[in-house]
Amino acid sequence: MQENRPFIIILTLLLITGTLANCANPNFTAPEGEQENRYGGIYRIAITESPKSLDPVHATDTSSSRVVYQLFETLVDVDSDGDVIPNLAESWNISDDGLVYTFKLREDVRFHSVIGEDIPTENGGREVIAGDWVWTFNHIANPDTKSERAYFIDMIKGYADYHEGAADALEGVTAKDKYTLEIVLDYPFAPFITMLAYNTFSVVPREDVEKWGEDFGFHPVGTGPFRFSESIQDDRVVLTRNDDYWRKDEQNNTLPYLDGMEFRIINDLTMQWTEFQLGNFESIEMVDDPYYHEALEKYPDSFLRKPQMGTYFYGMNVTAKPFDNKKVRQAINYAIDRQGIIDLLRNGRATPAKGVLPPGMFGYNPDLVGYTYDPQKAKKLLAEAGYPDGIRITLQYNTDDIHRRIAEAFQQQMKDAGIELELKHMDGAALFEAMGKGEATFFRLGWVVDYPDPDNFLYVLLNSANFGPLGNFTLFKNDEFDQLTNEARVESDPEERRRMYQEAERIAVEEAPWLFVYHYTTEQLLQPYVRGYSLPPFGEHNARFYSVWLDK
């Protein structure tokens, strides 16, 4: 999942703007007893960008996902250890041949009955049944929906025929009874069950989707612990407690504890830090590097950090000069000091990237030979490529203090290799639009895991089947790489899959369609009174807040 993705929807003021004090449902009564003090309060979180879409089939960026996961739910989820756990499916069975998945659904799960200022939804708050999942998967795979991640489920039986208009529905998705869903695959796909935890595969109500059509993202209706209240572009997104939520705590009390959530968009990380210290936020998305050690000192128990499966890189359009020359791409990789940048600008909060796959990922190769900092070798490669006097290139990056500081440091380092780097900062939406059209030839991007399998990095981002908005913005094409990543998708032997992916990554590193920079850590700075929060291994944008409460 990209930190920011190409589906561009401009969020506007949808409903009458109200104060947060009016978001809580005055009819909700907290249970008496030990748990009573957990209820109430608005959780305020600072984020750097507005969500691109609150429609789960189009929510492909982290700014959208962190909100979507509060509104919508999937069949399964992934816990803090990375294990698949029940969600709207209370159990499942996988056939011995790995082709048939049978899900037993929870009963009495209901869609939101109201949104905004208590405006009734079209579905009326009805129960979710197996037929809703059948319709949802067909909606995702329908070519008219134009879901950017529909191809994630192209292994479902009948996907190709349906997606190409040769069939009226997905043959492989059926309701066996009211609470039993069956999904049949064309071939075994090891990460399939984990992939179903990705937000695209959230159940949605047909009535509301059909009413709003392409505007469903402005009127999102799901089953999650919070329901949509309002969204104001570049200001805030407000959610309200779903009083009909199905989940209970360990004492069988209703969840969520919070009255609501407010996501405030503040792209100035210094301002986020200042407002957090003033008590105006329960958490902030990121602590800027100048304040990192101060945050560690002031909040030793509530500054949460862990390695994240993600990669920070600069993409190169391999069809555009001078990036169409492999030696140029390799030279650029030799022109930067990754560890120096991490130590100087990131306080050691990252791991230098030798290649595509992050540590902890199946198939990660600790012995992979990447690129070192070697300006003289970079100069030699440029000369061999026909550029003895060096090159002048332009980096396009989305506006953010961290991205700017890193780009400026690379700008200085690259001079020693004969590379003049011009910097062009852009709004994230404009950058992704340019990338999608192939107009960005050298661009900053970050990818964090959607599902923990090399397929989500190597196939999605670099296979030639996924040119443009599907993931491969570099337009990289290598026949051997494509064959390896295609065959690895259907290979059932884990060790053979590992071998295939490691060989594919070796090719990607050799061909260098990316400037490999670093692998992320994920973090969240909480106020000391926040309870029940768990930092997910896939990144803070995957956090769920149904059991979070404020001890104040």
Side-chain angles (χ1 to χ4, degrees):
M1 170 176 289
Q2 292 163 4
E3 291 177 301
N4 301 283
R5 296 272 184 93
F7 188 78
I8 309 302
I9 291 181
I10 304 301
L11 296 178
T12 56
L13 177 59
L14 308 181
L15 302 168
I16 298 173
T17 302
T19 62
L20 280 176
N22 294 326
C23 290
N25 187 340
N27 298 319
F28 171 71
T29 302
E32 296 181 0
E34 183 180 346
Q35 303 294 92
E36 182 177 3
N37 64 348
R38 295 190 177 188
Y39 286 88
I42 304 297
Y43 193 99
R44 302 158 300 171
I45 179 172
I47 61 178
T48 56
E49 290 190 314
S50 288
K52 305 298 186 294
S53 176
L54 296 183
D55 183 341
V57 305
H58 297 303
T60 57
D61 61 293
T62 55
S63 60
S64 299
S65 294
R66 65 169 51 86
V67 180
V68 165
Y69 279 123
Q70 317 315 319
L71 298 170
F72 296 91
E73 293 177 302
T74 50
L75 285 166
V76 298
D77 207 345
V78 178
D79 67 14
S80 58
D81 295 321
D83 296 324
V84 179
I85 58 174
N87 200 16
L88 295 192
E90 62 182 15
S91 63
W92 58 89
N93 180 69
I94 304 173
S95 63
D96 291 341
D97 61 7
L99 295 177
V100 182
Y101 290 70
T102 306
F103 298 91
K104 178 63 177 176
L105 304 179
R106 294 188 187 278
E107 299 182 19
D108 203 30
V109 173
R110 298 184 176 276
F111 289 116
H112 299 154
S113 59
V114 294
I115 60 173
E117 297 296 316
D118 293 329
I119 299 173
T121 59
E122 288 298 300
N123 76 83
R126 65 172 177 81
E127 187 180 23
V128 178
I129 58 175
D132 293 305
W133 285 102
V134 174
W135 187 88
T136 293
F137 277 102
N138 277 272
H139 171 61
I140 294 167
N142 190 327
D144 292 337
T145 302
K146 300 178 181 178
S147 172
E148 292 81 358
R149 297 295 175 258
Y151 73 97
F152 277 16
I153 55 170
D154 63 4
M155 69 293 298
I156 290 180
K157 189 174 183 179
Y159 175 91
D161 286 344
Y162 178 57
H163 196 71
E164 295 167 5
D168 294 330
L170 286 171
E171 180 183 352
V173 183
T174 55
K176 308 308 290 184
D177 58 43
K178 189 175 182 180
Y179 300 111
T180 305
L181 175 72
E182 182 180 89
I183 300 178
V184 180
L185 308 186
D186 274 329
Y187 55 86
F189 184 57
F192 182 73
I193 189 69
T194 306
M195 188 174 63
L196 293 180
Y198 182 49
N199 60 246
T200 289
F201 308 112
S202 301
V203 69
V204 292
R206 179 175 185 171
E207 304 93 322
D208 295 273
V209 173
E210 291 184 341
K211 174 182 178 179
W212 296 110
E214 293 183 357
D215 289 335
F216 180 68
F218 297 109
H219 311 270
V221 180
T223 63
F226 300 93
R227 58 179 177 85
F228 177 76
S229 183
E230 68 171 355
S231 178
I232 304 175
Q233 175 70 15
D234 295 329
D235 183 21
R236 65 180 179 269
V237 178
V238 180
L239 311 181
T240 303
R241 184 184 198 275
N242 173 17
D243 293 334
D244 299 318
Y245 190 51
W246 60 271
R247 201 183 298 263
K248 310 290 184 182
D249 68 9
E250 61 274 16
Q251 274 75 45
N252 203 37
N253 294 315
T254 59
L255 293 172
Y257 297 123
L258 298 167
D259 286 335
M261 298 187 67
E262 181 183 46
F263 299 83
R264 291 297 304 270
I265 293 84
I266 299 178
N267 57 25
D268 185 330
L269 296 180
T270 297
M271 184 177 293
Q272 282 196 20
W273 168 247
T274 301
E275 291 294 315
F276 178 83
Q277 291 189 97
L278 292 173
N280 294 329
F281 291 113
E282 274 60 57
S283 66
I284 57 177
E285 172 188 356
M286 186 183 303
V287 176
D288 202 3
D289 291 286
Y291 314 111
Y292 177 72
H293 292 289
E294 185 179 356
L296 285 175
E297 182 177 345
K298 286 186 174 180
Y299 306 97
D301 299 323
S302 60
F303 188 9
L304 309 181
R305 307 171 309 286
K306 65 171 59 174
Q308 181 181 11
M309 291 185 186
T311 303
Y312 187 105
F313 64 94
Y314 290 174
M316 294 174 258
N317 183 332
V318 300
T319 68
K321 289 186 178 300
F323 307 108
D324 59 343
N325 191 309
K326 180 173 74 172
K327 289 186 176 181
V328 169
R329 302 193 300 268
Q330 292 176 333
I332 292 171
N333 269 282
Y334 280 115
I336 66 166
D337 181 0
R338 294 163 179 81
Q339 189 63 60
I341 292 300
I342 291 170
D343 292 340
L344 180 65
L345 298 181
R346 304 289 358 251
N347 290 289
R349 301 154 75 182
T351 303
K354 294 181 179 180
V356 178
L357 299 180
M361 172 72 69
F362 169 77
Y364 173 74
N365 183 3
D367 300 320
L368 181 69
V369 178
Y371 293 90
T372 57
Y373 179 43
D374 192 338
Q376 294 308 309
K377 189 167 186 176
K379 282 184 176 182
K380 182 175 182 293
L381 285 166
L382 288 177
E384 293 174 358
Y387 299 96
D389 298 324
I391 57 174
R392 180 185 295 271
I393 56 179
T394 299
L395 172 71
Q396 294 169 269
Y397 66 96
N398 51 312
T399 304
D400 183 290
D401 285 344
I402 292 174
H403 304 329
R404 176 185 56 78
R405 288 196 292 266
I406 291 173
E408 289 174 349
F410 286 161
Q411 184 181 48
Q412 294 303 311
Q413 290 180 352
M414 287 184 182
K415 287 181 180 179
D416 293 336
I419 300 171
E420 291 295 325
L421 181 64
E422 297 181 359
L423 304 181
K424 182 179 180 181
H425 66 84
M426 306 174 67
D427 172 78
L431 175 59
F432 296 127
E433 183 176 13
M435 288 161 47
K437 294 178 178 179
E439 297 171 353
T441 58
F442 191 39
F443 50 88
R444 189 216 74 85
L445 199 56
W447 186 268
V448 293
V449 64
D450 298 317
Y451 52 95
D453 191 87
D455 180 82
N456 187 228
F457 282 76
L458 295 169
Y459 175 78
V460 171
L461 299 178
L462 292 171
N463 189 289
S464 64
N466 300 322
F467 278 171
L470 294 179
N472 186 351
F473 293 104
T474 66
L475 306 184
F476 171 70
K477 178 175 173 56
N478 178 283
D479 290 342
E480 185 180 0
F481 178 93
D482 283 352
Q483 181 177 352
L484 284 164
T485 52
N486 287 333
E487 292 179 357
R489 304 194 89 210
V490 302
E491 176 59 54
S492 59
D493 182 353
E495 289 309 309
E496 180 61 13
R497 290 187 81 231
R498 185 194 306 274
R499 184 198 67 78
M500 288 177 169
Y501 283 128
Q502 289 185 348
E503 177 60 18
E505 185 179 29
R506 187 198 63 75
I507 293 171
V509 171
E510 167 70 18
E511 294 295 321
W514 294 0
L515 170 57
F516 307 97
V517 183
Y518 62 69
H519 301 299
Y520 293 100
T521 58
T522 185
E523 59 191 38
Q524 190 79 168
L525 178 60
L526 310 172
Q527 295 288 0
Y529 54 77
V530 173
R531 301 286 183 267
Y533 178 91
S534 178
L535 182 62
F538 294 174
E540 50 78 28
H541 63 279
N542 277 276
R544 312 301 200 265
F545 287 85
Y546 52 78
S547 60
V548 171
W549 56 287
L550 309 179
D551 189 13
K552 66 172 185 175

